[in-house]
Amino acid sequence: MSSRYHQVYESWEKDPEAFWAEAAQDLVWTKPWDTVFDASDGVYGRWFVGAECNTAYNCLDRHVFAGRAGQAALIYDSPVTDSQQTYTYGELTDAVATLAAVMKKHGVTKGDRVIVYMPMIPEAVIGMLACARLGAVHSVVFGGFAARELATRIDDCTPKMIISASCGIEPGRVVTYKPLLDEAIEISSHKPSACLVYQRPMETASLVPGRDFDWAAETAAADAAGEKADCVSVAATDPLYILYTSGTTGQPKGVVRDNGGHMVALKWSMDAVYGMEPGEVYWAASDVGWVVGHSYIVYAPLLHGCTTILFEGKPVGTPDAGTFWRVISEHKVSALFTAPTAFRAIKKEDPEGSFIGQYDMNHFRTLFLAGERADPDTVQWAEDMLKVPVIDHWWQTETGWPIAADPMGLGMLPVKLGSPTVPMPGYDVQILDEAHEPVEAGKMGSICVKLPLPPGCLPTLWGNDQRFRDSYLREFPGFYATADAGYKDEDGYLYIMARTDDIINVAGHRLSTGAMEEVLASHPDVAECAVVGIADSMKGQVPAGFIVLKSGVTKDLAEIEKEVVQLVRQKIGPVAAFKIAITVGRLPKTRSGKILRGTMRSIADGEAYRTPATIDDPAILDEISEALKEHGVARAG
Ligand code: COA
Ligand code: AMP
């Protein structure tokens, strides 16, 4: 079948408003829009201005009324607790309406923020949808972040309520959430008025009288009293959620997602990009704390009437490298979406794919990869083993849905290894040089998207239009700067090669080296430091920290290195995967004092590098090289 991609992309180019207005017909609006796109509203314009809707209604109630009440909406599959649970659309709607009633009783109303600090259990999804039902704005904080990160988010979005659980489960250890939550509330300036805590059987959290409430007791009481909250109609432009993502400083960026445009873009993508039919089973093996979890565990599959899988486990070790194939086979999954790192982990454990033959994967049609560059070896391995198309696609927390993909629902385009294929309708992607001019095919440049961004993308950063302008719109006037660098080939295929800022990608998790440097610098013995992302065969990149000690420090170096590793774990969280700290005598700098992080990364990766002409003292590069060797980090060049 030939692809309809070019025809559909052209139809969007010809009339973007008509294109998105048609896509919006699939959803229920409580009030129609006045204008599809109002360029004078917001920072760069807003979508579906004047319209009203409710996202939870479109995810749940709409399907119940359309006859899907008995269809599985959510399958929780948890190898780490050896349990499974299925919620039909009817049951999930009920659970969400009940929790929303409890939240309402605690004073949560339209526009209030609610932080969700939860592991991968159904209650996390129920919590997010209950917020959406009330028109409250959720902000999910990934469970692998430490108290200080949680506190920063509490102070930025000032939640009325926090919903949490007693613990998460990592292979071999129970992660207690409540002490982290208590510490975060202790150190934050803003205090939530209530916390609703779900007690898991593996850990009972102690509750602070008057502030903390037991989830099960509260929902059981609401249930017994028949209390259910109705869907609250909100403006399409009202925020649905805030999701914090790494910026160039320790202060994360609060990416705002609206209600209307988000529904339209996600619903459209399920069909056009992922090739899914309502009623089919879709699995995003990510975490609800990340954008992939928001968009493709929770909202998109439910908006489309699919069954979504919530997987509490890892690709390997829970219990083995066949777990993904078991889930696909047992729940008849049609499409899996995960990060390449998960496949690298499986490939390392089971290079011959010996587990695959044990499972019937007849329903499985497509594997989608994103979150980091899909290296050709991994793509090839997955294709050989699974015998299905493997689709690399590219997007960001900011966009909420793919900027570039091979659109399976429009007909697959030929795959080119190393490329996430072509821009999706909505995105006019251009590669610009430093003079802001488009570069020719094959030449590297900054990857930018011509404004306006399509529905679903961030309209701004929470409470900070100016930071939004400064971070994304200022450098290339008229464009959104993705902070990725790359090129387009003669056929318009995109290649995403590197970040242009200090963000690194560790096991598909986006982390700021700047934030880690702030933590290292806070150690009393550290005079200055630099953190760079170095290549790792499993996680893609891992952080490596170089520290220069204050003069006169006599403490054992290995001891200090251990302490700074522990400090990052404590202040940012285990997810930072910060395990390499190296003491050096000095850092390589330009004559104007700029630390040469790129050159240090090249040395660590064993890549050829040119000694920068502006370097202050070239001998320092040899010292870095030696220090890396001593720590067993240097690779052969
Ligand atoms: N709560 C608490 N701690 C968590 C956590 C959570 N939700 N998630 C991860 N961590 C911890 C891990 O236990 C680990 O701690 P450790 O240093 O004590 O071992 C640390 O954070 C790093 O975690 P991670 O990067 O996930 O590494 P891992 O070695 O545990 O697993 C992979 C490696 C590749 C198996 C795993 O990263 C993975 O499945 N990634 C792909 C899928 C994905 O989630 N992508 C994200 C966006 S699509
Ligand atoms: P996040 O906001 O966590 O989704 O991270 C977004 C960043 O991850 C992008 O800006 C890219 O740097 C990187 N990324 C995501 N998907 C891809 C991909 N398919 N290929 C290359 N890089 C990717």
Side-chain angles (χ1 to χ4, degrees), residues 142-144 170 173 175 285-287 290 292 314-315 338-339 341-342 507-509 539 569 574-575 579:
F142 177 62
E170 280 296 289
R173 77 188 154 103
V175 180
S286 177
D287 189 289
W290 306 116
V292 177
K314 301 260 175 179
T338 192
T341 190
H509 309 317
K539 296 194 177 190
R569 192 176 175 90
V575 70
K579 302 204 166 149

Side-chain angles (χ1 to χ4, degrees), residues 193-511:
S193 42
C195 297
L196 196 58
V197 181
Y198 183 80
Q199 302 278 18
R200 299 186 78 183
M202 313 83 198
E203 168 77 21
T204 304
S206 62
L207 303 182
V208 175
R211 188 200 72 190
D212 298 346
F213 299 89
D214 180 70
W215 183 301
E218 296 267 316
T219 50
D223 225 5
E227 290 164 7
K228 306 255 181 258
D230 288 335
C231 292
V232 174
S233 188
V234 297
T237 50
D238 277 344
L240 169 68
Y241 70 76
I242 307 162
L243 178 59
Y244 288 89
T245 191
S246 301
T248 46
T249 65
Q251 181 68 26
K253 294 168 170 168
V255 167
V256 174
R257 197 81 61 209
D258 68 12
N259 276 273
H262 176 246
M263 292 198 302
V264 173
L266 259 50
K267 172 90 175 70
W268 183 86
S269 74
M270 280 305 280
D271 177 7
V273 177
Y274 297 98
M276 294 294 295
E277 297 276 344
E280 291 187 318
V281 184
Y282 184 88
W283 177 24
S286 177
D287 189 289
V288 289
W290 306 116
V291 69
V292 177
H294 280 63
S295 292
Y296 292 107
I297 295 176
V298 183
Y299 289 109
L302 297 178
L303 285 166
H304 202 48
C306 288
T307 301
T308 186
I309 307 265
L310 185 76
F311 175 71
E312 190 183 29
K314 301 260 175 179
V316 293
T318 60
D320 54 40
T323 280
F324 272 26
W325 326 135
R326 175 193 59 79
V327 172
I328 290 172
S329 144
E330 212 167 306
H331 305 303
K332 300 190 168 41
V333 170
S334 298
L336 166 65
F337 175 176
T338 192
T341 190
F343 267 73
R344 288 196 295 269
I346 296 171
K347 181 173 133 196
K348 186 165 171 236
E349 290 277 302
D350 182 21
E352 306 305 323
S354 57
F355 284 102
I356 298 171
Q358 296 175 20
Y359 299 99
D360 171 6
M361 301 212 292
N362 262 329
H363 282 81
F364 189 45
R365 282 200 305 267
T366 327
L367 169 65
F368 293 90
L369 298 175
E372 56 177 317
R373 182 160 187 269
D375 53 289
D377 278 357
T378 303
V379 174
Q380 197 67 66
W381 182 84
E383 241 169 38
D384 292 347
M385 294 296 150
L386 298 172
K387 317 262 183 279
V388 296
V390 177
I391 306 300
D392 175 19
H393 62 326
W394 167 59
W395 52 300
Q396 312 185 307
T397 304
E398 288 84 346
T399 66
W401 64 285
I403 309 169
D406 197 335
M408 296 306 282
L410 302 181
M412 191 177 164
L413 294 163
V415 169
K416 295 194 192 186
L417 287 181
S419 166
T421 320
V422 288
M424 290 299 91
Y427 297 98
D428 176 356
V429 179
Q430 302 194 16
I431 316 290
L432 303 182
D433 63 16
E434 280 167 6
H436 307 167
E437 292 300 324
V439 301
E440 65 202 59
K443 270 195 100 175
M444 283 274 282
S446 296
I447 312 180
C448 297
V449 181
K450 193 158 192 311
L451 292 172
L453 292 168
C457 293
L458 80 172
T460 190
L461 293 174
W462 179 251
N464 208 338
D465 284 352
Q466 196 51 45
R467 189 173 181 199
F468 174 68
R469 286 193 188 92
D470 292 346
S471 306
Y472 303 103
L473 310 184
R474 201 181 50 188
E475 192 179 350
F476 297 94
F479 290 86
Y480 163 84
T482 65
D484 280 319
Y487 62 94
K488 257 188 207 177
D489 73 8
E490 303 284 350
D491 300 323
Y493 277 54
L494 279 164
Y495 292 78
I496 317 300
M497 304 310 289
R499 289 283 300 194
T500 57
D501 55 13
D502 72 349
I503 299 295
I504 58 170
N505 210 307
V506 181
H509 309 317
R510 172 170 159 177
L511 297 165

